[in-house]
Amino acid sequence: MLCCETECGSDFTARVEMDRLPPIHTPAPQPGCGVKQPRSTLRTHPAGQGSAATMKTSLSSDLGMRRGLQLPPLSRGPVLTLPPEVRAPLPPPPTLPLRTKTTADLHSFLEVNAAFKREANGAFDTIDDSGVNTEFVYAVYDALLNTPPDVQKSVLKGIINSLLREWKGPRTKDDLRAYLILLQNPQFSVSSTFVVFAHLLRSASSLTDADHHYLIHWLTSVPPRRFLQLVQRILHLISTRLFPCDGDGLPPPAKTSWWIPTATKILSLLNAANSLSSPAIMSFTEFYSVGLEQVDIMEQYRSWQLHGPRFSFCQYPFILSSVVKKAILQRDSELQMIREARNSLVTKVSRRQRVDVNILFLNIKVRRSQLLHDSLEELSRKRSDLKKKLRVSFVGEAGLDRGGLTKEWFLLLLRHVFQPDYGMFTYQKDSRCHWFSSWKSDNCSEFRLVGTLMGLAVYNSIALDVHFPLYCYRKLLTPPTAPCDQNAPVGMATATMEDLRQIMPDLAKGLGELLSYEGNVEEDFYLSFQVLQEEMGVIRSFNLKPGGDKIPVNNHNRKEFVQLYTDHLLNRCVSRQFAAFYRGFHSVCASNALMLLRCEEVEVLVCGSPDLDMTALQRAAQYEGFTETDPTVRAFWEVVQALPLEMQRKLLRFATGSDRAPVGGLAGLRLKVSRMDVSTDWLPVSHTCFNQICLPPYRSRKALRHKLTIAISNAEGFGLE
């Protein structure tokens, strides 16, 4: 039992009674998580000459405590440029060294280093190499899980004793190596070890920023499977404290309030390491804590906005799933809507004017024949009402907008502005996405309209069928909150070759060949820092730098040429158009909640997720004229489940107007399956504004599959109706 007597972050004293530690529950091996043991790694001891508990190592008995060493300046050692005679030799395959002490005697960070450091006297003081014999570490850890409980208890006792030693002054690199090794201990997968794990996390979180800098870089070398397991252990500890159980054997939540902040801080180091790696070690979604979807996060959001001293998960947005972030953004939008409606109501009453319920809404009234012109006029005239609840009506048409007319207005308007002939956006066939046209730069009001539409869709929780590249959403978050100065540059995100490849893959491929060309670039390519660009049948020239038409591209400046050309295509030549688009979006979605979002999450909020779960869609479906057990309904879902993914996307587009799932998955879509009492020769009909598909009472599954395939394969634009 380990009893802490001081607050988090200070030195602490404790007493250890290993006999009272809770029993160690060895986790069952996970399917697919087996590790191949390195050859010659583990040696089997003859009977009576040792066991896994007494694996011997050559620990030096005169290793003393090294305290108060000053950290050298952070530097990335130029390993590749060192002469051969001073380069560190490649380590041989790991073998288990003979020990003079048992694993229970590893009671200090120095002893941990002596056991697992590649070279006992090696400095290893750069961010490039931790100096840890990782294969040996993982071999020992894998063997540890198969040892008796008393051996595992001894290892935990060693960790406790290491943490209890009194440290003063800055940590040495050996200390940081010990943290790197101990954090990956698989014993921390079970809750009975969480007391020790939490104290280890707290000790690591109290390191200086410079020490954390080293740990982040060393963590990038952890194998993906081990990295994921470490993240999952910390998330498990957080969930255990979020939803405590009486019988979990852990201290009461009142005495462990520091567990969650400490664990989240260490998780932020892992997230930084994941972001630093290229490509990323694992998907950013693996850092999501699903348990937070069941927690009211708005109190923490308000505390974070006020910059209060209390811990808030909003300080670490990587742990919040897109479902949680959408809930925050939606709730923040609702509060802004209520505030705007209240202000309008108070203004009317204070002026003794007649109160009309319409002042509580953003009322858009348009003619179908003049849809774009009327929409632009309405949104420009009612700019101060954009944060009210949206309500749309069409001139000459009766009916109340209960969501269907609003969705129809979005669909028709976007279909119009994204037509290639209209000239606002160019469709890239290879990447199947739209990009901003550099041609229409004289009047940017229409780009502001499209940005406003996207903002209104997010604000009113409506998914749009738009296809922008991910780089567009990164530009939307540059910066995440709009500056007050209307002339301040916005959307100027750093453009890379990978960003260009997402939009114009053929051009990116050609530029990549230019960079890798081994011949004479100037003589063979005959390029200059002036480029030609064709749009709408007109060719125009642009200098990438002053006097670019007189500067040839050669082997020495070709990287500069590629970077300037990429920046020109994605930033400079569309800067006015995108600035108007950015201002339109942020005129509606002006919320601090945007600071919590990644560009991938903004994309999901705007147009939904590409991941489809038809089983979830079936469970949430509603029926009109049918029952869930009706033969036609059962045949319909059997056909849908058997469709290939591309056809399922076509079905979703046919029924809803978009081939993507909303945030949270298809369970939140509420598809309505309705009966049409017509001849079975009819094809299915959809009403995309209401997420509704209408089926005649087909007599067989074969007939239903045939008719449905024809319908979804020939529906264009935004569905049949």
Side-chain angles (χ1 to χ4, degrees), residues 180-198:
L180 179 66
I181 294 167
L182 296 178
L183 284 171
Q184 300 181 67
N185 189 338
Q187 289 178 284
F188 298 134
S189 298
V190 292
S191 60
S192 58
T193 62
F194 278 179
V195 173
V196 181
F197 192 28

Side-chain angles (χ1 to χ4, degrees), residues 562-581:
V562 170
Q563 179 56 46
L564 290 176
Y565 193 17
T566 302
D567 184 67
H568 168 77
L569 291 172
L570 303 187
N571 283 322
R572 289 168 55 191
C573 73
V574 296
S575 59
R576 292 187 60 193
Q577 296 89 325
F578 193 88
F581 176 80

